[in-house]
Amino acid sequence: MAKSHKPIIWGLFAGGGMVSAFVTPVMILITGLAVPFHLISREAMSYDRVHAFASNPIGKLLLFVVIFLPAWHAAHRLRITAHDFGLRQDIPIAVVLYVTAAVGTIMTISALLKM
Amino acid sequence: MSNDRTITLEVMRYRPETDAAPSFQSYVVPYVEEWVVLDALNYVKDNLDTTVSYRWSCHMAVCGSCGMMIDGEPKLSCKAFLRDYGSKIRVEPLSHFPIERDLVVVIDDFIEKFTRIRPYIIAQSEKPVSEGEYLQTPAQLHKYKQFTLCINCLLCYAACPQYAHNPEFVGPAALSMAHRYNLDSRDSGRDLRQEVSASHEGVWECSFVGACSDVCPKHVDPAAAIQQTKIASTMDYYKALLPGGK
């Protein structure tokens, strides 16, 4: 039986799942709730500080991981969800979703490199 | 024990020599608080209609032969109490398998897949009996014990929408049994089993609906076995890409 190449996508899906489950909620808590409700100083999210963070190589890497992995996770999750809902045009759906994730990945890289 | 209460058992009948298609036949049987659906079927067989065919043996959720659809859900009929259902209970053969006769399904497809994953210990080298047992620590046993509890009742295949969609899918029980032997410290046959497990029709056909684990009467959790196999297969895949990988 032929060995599957699914691990390429599934590896990104699994990694993205970990990030989405453990890191994304904390980010939402900080950027979406704590700062707007003044639980953390608004200065923490000031343009200068965030720009400095995104300019730092480690900051770039962290931002890349928390953006690109969940993007691939979402793409694969939506593909499976479409299948589970009985949409059987698997290949076109997969192409559209994975191309979207790939474009998002490239845009993230180029935006971070310009910082 | 019994009072005058009765229930109606709607049994799917299919006699290939006379029936063009399956149909339902109703039987009125006594309602007994302690009875399971299998008891009701045995009542039918003993008292009302000797021609009804179904598989059963142990009557204690060990043999795995009395699986059937009860009110549309895959269940062991020896574990499904009448008191948990209404006054009318619909009994059908397990979904996703061809019907052999009445409630008996053809399980050849599963047996072929089960054989393909090599459900036995493949030792690196057989040691002579005089050298004694293969020893195992409680921790080593704990790693795979849950997956040994499978009784091959096939409720998981009847519940799996993926198996319904693609009958080539190796399926929950076979894949979790492969995982069980892969995790066994005495075994070294994982590479052979991966040819099946890591193929398209293996774990990668699973979309993790999880229905297999929901219906499993022995709490094997085949969905977990499949997800763990996906992780291990992904590691294999990336390792093979490294220099010196196979």
Side-chain angles (χ1 to χ4, degrees):
Chain A
M1 295 169 88
K3 185 168 133 179
S4 175
H5 295 290
K6 223 37 180 307
I8 299 171
I9 297 290
W10 197 83
L12 294 169
F13 169 72
M18 293 285 279
V19 171
S20 305
F22 292 113
V23 182
T24 310
V26 181
M27 286 168 51
I28 293 171
L29 188 70
I30 294 169
T31 62
L33 294 170
V35 173
F37 285 105
H38 301 283
L39 300 171
I40 296 175
S41 159
R42 283 201 171 181
E43 256 317 287
M45 293 298 289
S46 73
Y47 179 83
D48 290 338
R49 287 189 67 142
V50 175
H51 188 270
F53 180 77
S55 304
N56 178 291
I58 296 170
K60 279 188 210 293
L61 185 69
L62 287 173
L63 283 173
F64 179 61
V65 168
V66 298
I67 295 169
F68 109 99
L69 278 179
W72 283 94
H73 178 82
H76 189 66
R77 183 69 261 162
L78 286 170
R79 177 189 179 190
I80 301 300
T81 302
H83 172 83
D84 288 343
F85 274 109
L87 299 173
R88 295 294 182 233
Q89 296 78 16
D90 185 49
I91 299 299
I93 289 172
V95 168
V96 168
L97 290 168
Y98 294 153
V99 165
T100 308
V103 169
T105 303
I106 293 163
M107 284 169 65
T108 308
I109 294 171
S110 81
L112 287 170
L113 289 180
K114 276 189 215 150
M115 290 283 172
Chain B
M1 178 178 109
S2 151
N3 51 27
D4 293 337
R5 238 179 104 181
T6 59
I7 57 147
T8 305
L9 212 54
E10 291 183 337
V11 180
M12 189 183 265
R13 303 296 312 270
Y14 176 65
R15 288 137 297 193
E17 66 278 5
T18 53
D19 300 351
S23 58
F24 283 96
Q25 190 165 350
S26 291
Y27 301 98
V28 176
V29 299
Y31 172 86
V32 182
E33 181 79 11
E34 299 80 15
W35 273 12
V36 288
V37 171
L38 180 58
D39 294 315
L41 278 170
N42 285 341
Y43 179 89
V44 172
K45 181 96 174 164
D46 293 344
N47 301 287
L48 306 176
D49 184 349
T50 56
T51 69
V52 179
S53 298
Y54 52 99
R55 288 196 180 104
W56 74 284
S57 177
C58 77
H59 199 291
M60 50 194 271
V62 170
C63 75
S65 44
C66 72
M68 49 190 77
M69 307 300 285
I70 299 177
D71 275 357
E73 261 190 83
K75 294 269 182 195
L76 291 182
S77 57
C78 68
K79 245 188 128 181
F81 283 90
L82 299 185
R83 58 177 182 254
D84 296 328
Y85 294 85
S87 56
K88 199 182 268 187
I89 304 175
R90 183 166 268 220
V91 185
E92 298 159 273
L94 282 178
S95 293
H96 312 155
F97 291 97
I99 305 174
E100 182 149 332
R101 183 183 189 87
D102 296 341
L103 301 171
V104 178
V105 291
V106 182
I107 61 169
D108 297 4
D109 181 59
F110 169 71
I111 298 295
E112 187 276 317
K113 286 166 178 167
F114 194 60
T115 313
R116 225 193 298 162
I117 59 99
R118 297 176 168 87
Y120 40 83
I121 286 174
I122 302 170
Q124 197 101 58
S125 56
E126 292 288 333
K127 61 178 185 182
V129 176
S130 58
E131 282 182 31
E133 313 88 330
Y134 290 91
L135 295 176
Q136 205 163 45
T137 65
Q140 286 170 329
L141 172 66
H142 179 74
K143 266 180 96 173
Y144 69 83
K145 188 166 181 230
Q146 166 192 353
F147 304 115
T148 67
L149 301 178
C150 175
I151 55 173
N152 302 327
C153 65
L154 305 185
L155 300 195
C156 52
Y157 284 75
C160 176
Q162 223 29 40
Y163 182 61
H165 175 60
N166 177 9
E168 295 300 312
F169 177 35
V170 177
L175 288 169
S176 78
M177 197 48 83
H179 191 56
R180 172 251 174 277
Y181 284 98
N182 291 341
L183 292 177
D184 193 316
S185 59
R186 299 163 295 179
D187 180 87
S188 49
R190 180 164 175 268
D191 287 351
L192 287 169
R193 291 188 202 99
Q194 280 297 93
E195 287 172 21
V196 181
S197 294
S199 70
H200 268 297
E201 296 77 23
V203 292
W204 300 115
E205 188 62 31
C206 164
S207 66
F208 200 9
V209 170
C212 50
S213 297
D214 284 344
V215 301
C216 179
K218 306 303 281 186
H219 309 293
V220 172
D221 201 354
I226 293 175
Q227 300 318 302
Q228 289 170 19
T229 306
K230 282 182 185 174
I231 295 170
S233 305
T234 301
M235 304 291 250
D236 287 354
Y237 188 88
Y238 285 120
K239 269 189 217 154
L241 297 178
L242 294 174
K246 47 178 180 156

